[in-house]
């Protein structure tokens, strides 16, 4: 038993000695048996400050970002307004009499010429009235001829001759009136244009005011819009104007201001102007909501890509690229924006040309986060590691 206790005491003493040696190893210098501490420090990602992985200040991992440079670009001053499109000429075809349709000589969507017959109504009675009036005219003309012969021979007075002449003129007027009534039974196109959808059919009884079809001249579209009276000094007839509609996509159409109203609305202090746009192919339909824009000249202002701006409530900011130590960080900076045009935002206040900002991936960046500037892609220009031009996105 005493031998076993002695062996156990020897084992405890040996373990304590080894533990003491392990605690003393970190004090050893580089290259010695305890040099593992330095090796562990080098193995940490980005550790140790300058010289760490990525060279990012503070030891964080740098996020790769593409960079844009604030640059001066042109922006156009414009007057913008809303208006409704309408045809240059537009009418609803109706009848001014109650009668049955006998023939329909058009189809929905057809282009018709001015004066072309579109609908014929029952006109048998009117035809008979015309024939009767023509017969009365021939009788009055024969009576006038007899009275003229008798007057020349001295058998009748001048009054009889005058009465006969008046009878002829009355008969002629009656013929014209009956022909006009007959003409009311034929409906013609008052101008050249396109017929709209119609349900007119032979045998249908129509009354005055009943719509038969619509006719629109779509070769030119008019847009009436209102602008505040302060812009009156810049508006003039013949001035170029552009218009766009959601139904037409982003491609605007070019036109001109045709006329400006002679009065200003005293309630709204606005004036109505009318613009005309060529409409080949009938692309613009009457009733479309149109956004009109009148250019007022160009100005040069600093600008940044629209994708680089972050909007929160009523504020906006971008991430400015700043140097810190041997690396770069993204600093959140407020910005006051102006106009938006062509994918760029006008910088009204907060930045100067040449400032570098994060152009892409702003949703991956946090304030004061280390970033690594990506090299510009092919065609971006500049040396590797330089900021690409404004709006360029490296691949």
């Amino acid at each position: 038993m005493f031998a076993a206790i002695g062996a156990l005491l020897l084992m405890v003493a040996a373990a304590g000695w080894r533990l003491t040696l392990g605690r003393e190893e970190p004090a050893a210098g580089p290259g010695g048996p305890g040099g593992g501490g330095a090796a562990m420090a080098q193995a940490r990602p980005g550790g140790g400050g300058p010289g760490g992985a990525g060279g990012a200040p503070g030891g964080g991992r740098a996020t790769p970002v593409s960079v844009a440079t604030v640059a001066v670009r042109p922006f156009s001053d414009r007057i913008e307004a809303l208006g409704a499109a309408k045809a240059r000429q537009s009418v609803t075809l109706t009848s001014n009499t109650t009668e049955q349709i006998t023939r329909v000589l058009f189809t929905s969507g057809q282009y018709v010429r001015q004066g072309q017959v579109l609908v014929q109504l029952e006109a048998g009675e009117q035809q008979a009235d015309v024939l009767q009036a023509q017969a009365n005219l021939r009788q009055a003309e024969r009576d006038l001829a007899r009275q003229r012969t008798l007057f020349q021979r001295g058998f009748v007075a001048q009054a009889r001759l005058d009465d006969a002449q008046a009878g002829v003129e009355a008969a002629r007027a009656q013929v014209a009136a009956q022909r006009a009534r007959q003409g009311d039974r034929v409906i013609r196109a008052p101008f050249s244009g396109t017929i709209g959808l119609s349900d007119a059919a032979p045998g249908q009884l129509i009354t005055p005011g009943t719509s038969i079809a619509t006719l629109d001249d779509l070769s030119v579209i008019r847009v009436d819009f209102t602008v505040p009276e302060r812009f009156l000094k810049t508006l003039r007839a013949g001035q170029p104007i552009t218009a766009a509609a959601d139904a037409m996509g982003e491609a605007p159409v070019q036109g001109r201001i045709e006329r400006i109203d002679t009065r200003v609305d005293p309630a709204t202090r606005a004036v109505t102007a009318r613009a005309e746009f060529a409409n080949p192919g009938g692309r613009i339909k009457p009733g479309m909501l149109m956004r009109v824009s009148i250019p007022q000249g160009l100005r040069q202002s600093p600008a940044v890509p629209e994708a680089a701006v972050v909007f929160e409530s009523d504020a906006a900011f971008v991430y400015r690229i700043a140097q810190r130590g041997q690396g770069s960080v993204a600093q959140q900076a407020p910005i006051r924006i102006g106009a938006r045009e062509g994918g760029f935002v006008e910088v009204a206040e907060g930045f100067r040309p040449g400032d570098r900002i994060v152009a892409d991936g702003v949703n991956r960046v946090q304030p004061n986060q280390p970033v690594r500037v990506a090299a510009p892609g092919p065609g971006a220009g500049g040396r590797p590691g330089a900021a690409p031009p404004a709006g360029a996105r490296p691949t």
Side-chain angles (χ1 to χ4, degrees):
M1 181 177 292
F2 288 109
I5 294 174
L8 181 59
L9 292 175
L10 288 175
M11 291 175 63
V12 173
W17 176 252
R18 290 178 182 177
L19 182 59
T20 304
L21 290 178
R23 292 177 178 175
E24 292 176 352
E25 282 178 0
M40 292 176 60
Q42 293 177 0
R44 294 193 190 100
R61 183 178 296 275
T63 301
V65 294
S66 60
V67 175
T69 304
V70 180
V72 175
R73 62 174 282 115
F75 285 90
S76 56
D77 288 324
R78 296 177 177 273
I79 300 174
E80 296 185 344
L82 294 175
K86 60 183 180 180
R88 179 168 61 179
Q89 298 183 87
S90 182
V91 69
T92 299
L93 300 173
T94 63
S95 171
N96 59 0
T97 185
T98 300
E99 198 56 81
Q100 276 190 342
I101 296 177
T102 58
R103 297 181 68 189
V104 177
L105 303 175
F106 67 87
T107 58
S108 298
Q110 178 183 350
Y111 181 81
V112 296
R113 298 287 183 180
Q114 182 177 4
Q116 181 175 333
V117 177
L118 303 178
V119 176
Q120 290 182 346
L121 305 179
E122 178 61 46
E125 183 180 351
Q126 285 68 37
Q127 179 65 27
D129 291 341
V130 170
L131 295 177
Q132 178 65 45
Q134 289 175 339
N136 293 339
L137 175 60
R138 288 192 294 270
Q139 179 61 37
E141 289 175 341
R142 287 193 295 267
D143 185 57
L144 175 61
R146 286 193 297 268
Q147 295 299 327
R148 186 177 288 115
T149 300
L150 293 175
F151 176 76
Q152 291 173 351
R153 293 179 180 178
F155 295 137
V156 296
Q158 179 69 42
R160 292 287 300 273
L161 180 62
D162 293 342
D163 290 342
Q165 181 66 44
V168 170
E169 293 176 355
R172 287 174 178 170
Q174 187 65 23
V175 170
Q178 295 301 333
R179 284 178 174 170
R181 293 188 182 96
Q182 185 183 29
D184 290 341
R185 271 61 182 176
V186 178
I187 299 176
R188 301 175 182 269
F191 52 84
S192 298
T194 303
I195 297 288
L197 296 178
S198 174
D199 295 325
Q204 179 182 354
L205 180 67
I206 60 173
T207 58
T210 300
S211 174
I212 299 174
T214 58
L215 178 64
D216 295 301
D217 178 5
L218 301 179
S219 60
V220 173
I221 289 294
R222 289 176 171 173
V223 178
D224 291 351
F225 60 96
T226 59
V227 294
E229 64 178 356
R230 67 178 181 274
F231 293 118
L232 270 175
K233 60 182 179 182
T234 63
L235 294 181
R236 66 183 186 280
Q239 188 172 2
I241 187 173
T242 61
D246 292 337
M248 301 182 342
E250 296 297 327
V253 293
Q254 306 294 325
R256 63 179 183 85
I257 296 178
E258 180 201 14
R259 196 172 303 278
I260 301 172
D261 200 0
T262 56
R263 295 185 178 184
V264 174
D265 189 335
T268 62
R269 313 311 307 174
V271 65
T272 301
R274 172 173 293 173
E276 285 190 347
F277 302 88
N279 190 32
R283 182 184 178 194
I284 307 175
K285 305 295 184 183
M288 276 187 177
L289 180 65
M290 306 292 291
R291 302 186 303 273
V292 298
S293 179
I294 308 170
Q296 297 291 295
L298 295 176
R299 52 189 167 79
Q300 302 290 328
S301 297
V304 297
E306 194 168 3
V309 183
V310 179
F311 296 92
E312 287 187 357
S313 184
D314 57 350
F317 63 86
V318 298
Y319 286 102
R320 188 199 305 266
I321 303 297
Q323 196 74 21
R324 180 177 293 175
Q326 296 181 1
S328 300
V329 295
Q331 294 180 341
Q332 182 176 315
I335 183 174
R336 189 165 68 88
I337 64 174
R340 303 186 190 184
E341 185 176 337
F344 287 86
V345 175
E346 179 186 14
V347 179
E349 186 179 314
F351 286 83
R352 296 177 301 177
D355 289 345
R356 298 195 306 164
I357 63 172
V358 176
D360 235 352
V362 292
N363 58 326
R364 303 191 306 267
V365 180
Q366 298 296 325
N368 298 317
Q369 179 179 351
V371 294
R372 175 168 52 85
V373 177
R383 61 187 184 279
R393 299 188 178 183
T395 58

